[in-house]
């Protein structure tokens, strides 16, 4: 059933994946003029005919008010809000096409949890570089699309220095089962969304090796410590990482086979090559690309990230997992918590 709203917006979601489809369904259900753009004309036509996204969310009915198009100009024209749910490797190219079609003051919201491979740019930085006069935000949190569309209680974070934008996105997305919190630390929220993908790979490996919950707890908490160290070195607020976009998303991604990155790690832990694991998943696992970038950046800045080094050694140097584990467990035993609220 479509809700009545007195503040209806024109909204487009760019991307035909599971999360983009889930967001489009929520917005359409809230009574907004909603379109979804899919680059693949065949996919768009199939979704229009079946009224569901068979490829990414089979069995989930698309809202009757959601219009689907493979024509970018047609989809974007006159929109107030643009959600960009495009893999990081294609993000800049799509934004470059998009920029001339936008009206001044359009809200551009990235939902992509990744880092541009060539320049270590986050998606919000790409939006600023490729557009002018736009209002920019980032949406990130512990959000599996399949659970969102199934009506499970879910929360996310909209991050922007533009408080009015945060309020507008909260209004567009809020529903009985979907809550939206706000943050002004756009860099920290976005960095958290990119970093947590790395650590899902190693917890997937641990699960494949039948390690217990003690091991998973160890990995998740030390992953958070690494994320906070790296965030602080990059100029983000490390306290952002104790919220939904940080530890919330980390726990989710590191403990469920709904995570593509977790599944990649699981398959590698079972002895499959990285290429074979990625091919079996059949969707983009952003953590695989991100691990190279973070390792290089951490070494440049002198940030201690032993788990990142371990994952890199397994995936790209073909180091045996038992050898890497022994090396990790013989490392220096340092302080547990690096941050304190006490002066």
């Amino acid at each position: 059933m479509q809700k009545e709203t007195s503040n209806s917006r024109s909204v487009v979601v760019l991307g035909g994946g599971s999360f983009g489809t889930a967001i489009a369904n929520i917005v359409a259900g809230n009574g907004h003029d909603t379109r979804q753009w899919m680059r693949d004309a065949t996919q768009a036509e199939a979704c229009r005919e079946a009224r569901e996204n068979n490829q990414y969310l089979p069995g989930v009915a698309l809202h009757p008010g959601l219009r689907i198009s493979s024509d970018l100009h047609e989809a974007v024209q006159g929109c107030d809000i643009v959600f960009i749910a495009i893999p990081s490797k294609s993000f800049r190219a799509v934004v470059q096409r998009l920029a001339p079609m936008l009206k001044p003051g359009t809200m551009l919201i990235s939902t992509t949890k990744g880092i541009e491979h060539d320049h270590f740019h986050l998606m919000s930085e790409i939006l600023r570089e490729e557009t002018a006069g736009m209002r920019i935000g980032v949406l990130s949190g512990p959000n599996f699309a399949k659970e969102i569309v199934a009506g499970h209680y879910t929360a996310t974070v909209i991050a922007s220095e533009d408080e009015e934008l945060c309020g507008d996105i909260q209004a567009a997305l809020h529903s009985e089962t979907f809550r939206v919190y706000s943050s002004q630390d756009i860099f920290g929220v976005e960095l958290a969304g990119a970093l947590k993908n790395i650590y899902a790979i190693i917890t997937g490996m641990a699960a494949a090796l039948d390690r217990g919950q003690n091991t998973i707890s160890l990995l998740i908490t030390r992953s958070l410590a690494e994320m906070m160290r790296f965030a602080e070195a990059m100029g983000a607020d490390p306290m952002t990482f104790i919220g939904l976009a940080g530890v919330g998303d980390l726990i989710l991604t590191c403990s469920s086979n709904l995570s593509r990155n977790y599944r990649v790690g699981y398959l590698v832990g079972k002895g499959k090559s990285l290429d074979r694991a990625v091919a079996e998943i059949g969707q983009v696992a952003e953590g695989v690309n991100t691990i190279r970038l973070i390792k290089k950046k951490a070494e440049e800045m002198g940030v201690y990230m032993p788990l990142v080094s371990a994952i890199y050694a397994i995936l790209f140097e073909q180091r045996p997992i038992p050898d890497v584990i022994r090396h990790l467990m013989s490392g220096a035993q340092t302080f547990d918590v690096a941050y304190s609220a006490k002066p």
Side-chain angles (χ1 to χ4, degrees):
M1 180 177 295
Q2 182 156 318
K3 292 166 56 177
E4 295 295 329
T5 176
S6 58
N7 297 305
S8 181
R9 300 274 193 172
S10 293
V11 181
V12 64
V13 178
L14 305 185
S18 56
F19 188 70
T21 302
I23 290 297
N25 246 15
I26 291 174
V27 177
N30 282 345
H32 300 283
D33 170 23
T34 312
R35 310 120 190 219
Q36 185 178 9
W37 174 75
M38 300 178 180
R39 184 189 337 230
D40 187 330
T42 302
Q43 182 192 7
E45 179 61 27
C47 290
R48 281 195 300 270
E49 289 184 358
R51 295 311 300 171
E52 67 178 69
N53 189 334
N54 287 312
Q55 185 173 354
Y56 293 104
L57 287 177
V60 176
L62 298 179
H63 192 278
L66 175 60
R67 291 181 285 156
I68 299 170
S69 176
S70 59
D71 184 321
L72 183 60
H73 186 269
E74 176 184 78
V76 169
Q77 192 167 14
C79 277
D80 307 305
I81 302 172
V82 180
F83 289 97
I84 308 173
I86 301 290
S88 60
K89 66 178 182 179
S90 307
F91 196 93
R92 187 181 291 273
V94 170
V95 172
Q96 287 174 340
R97 288 182 58 194
L98 172 70
M101 306 174 189
L102 300 172
K103 62 183 182 181
T106 300
M107 287 177 266
L108 303 180
I109 312 300
S110 168
T111 74
T112 300
K113 297 177 179 179
I115 300 172
E116 188 179 40
H117 183 75
D118 294 337
H119 307 98
F120 202 91
H121 285 172
L122 297 177
M123 303 304 105
S124 63
E125 294 175 306
I126 294 174
L127 290 176
R128 291 191 181 96
E129 290 173 1
E130 300 294 346
T131 68
M134 304 301 157
R135 302 165 65 193
I136 293 169
V138 168
L139 191 76
S140 189
N143 306 148
F144 286 149
K146 289 182 179 179
E147 295 192 359
I148 293 172
V149 296
H152 295 302
Y153 296 113
T154 303
T156 194
V157 179
I158 177 64
S160 179
E161 296 171 359
D162 183 337
E163 290 186 18
E164 186 178 351
L165 176 148
C166 289
D168 287 341
I169 300 304
Q170 286 174 311
L173 287 176
H174 178 253
S175 73
E176 292 180 1
T177 59
F178 196 73
R179 288 181 62 82
V180 186
Y181 292 85
S182 66
S183 171
Q184 292 187 328
D185 184 16
I186 186 170
F187 189 50
V189 166
E190 192 168 24
L191 193 58
L195 287 172
K196 58 87 186 181
N197 286 324
I198 293 171
Y199 301 105
I201 295 173
I202 199 167
T203 55
M205 290 179 190
L209 296 170
D210 294 321
R211 299 297 176 177
Q213 294 305 305
N214 286 355
T215 302
I216 300 301
S217 176
L218 165 66
L219 289 171
I220 290 175
T221 50
R222 297 321 300 169
S223 296
L224 180 62
E226 286 194 13
M227 290 168 68
M228 294 175 76
R229 280 198 298 270
F230 187 81
E232 186 175 41
M234 290 291 292
D237 182 354
M239 292 298 103
T240 295
F241 286 69
I242 65 172
L244 282 165
V247 68
D249 205 2
L250 179 67
I251 291 171
L252 179 75
T253 312
C254 289
S255 58
S256 173
N257 62 9
L258 287 179
S259 162
R260 295 187 291 269
N261 296 284
Y262 179 95
R263 297 203 307 273
V264 166
Y266 187 89
L267 291 173
V268 170
K270 287 297 186 184
K272 297 193 176 180
S273 69
L274 176 60
D275 289 344
R276 177 71 180 274
V278 170
E280 284 197 26
I281 299 304
Q283 298 181 47
V284 175
E286 290 281 2
V288 174
N289 298 320
T290 303
I291 186 67
R292 293 188 180 97
L293 303 175
I294 296 300
K295 182 176 185 292
K296 180 180 178 183
K297 197 72 171 178
E299 290 174 348
E300 289 174 356
M301 298 190 300
V303 180
Y304 180 56
M305 301 185 80
L307 289 176
V308 164
S309 297
I311 301 164
Y312 184 91
I314 294 167
L315 294 185
F316 302 112
E317 296 175 349
Q318 289 74 52
R319 292 269 305 279
I321 294 177
D323 291 354
V324 174
I325 292 172
R326 280 193 292 271
H327 180 73
L328 276 174
M329 293 302 291
S330 65
Q333 299 178 122
T334 55
F335 288 107
D336 179 26
V337 179
Y339 302 94
S340 175
K342 295 182 179 180

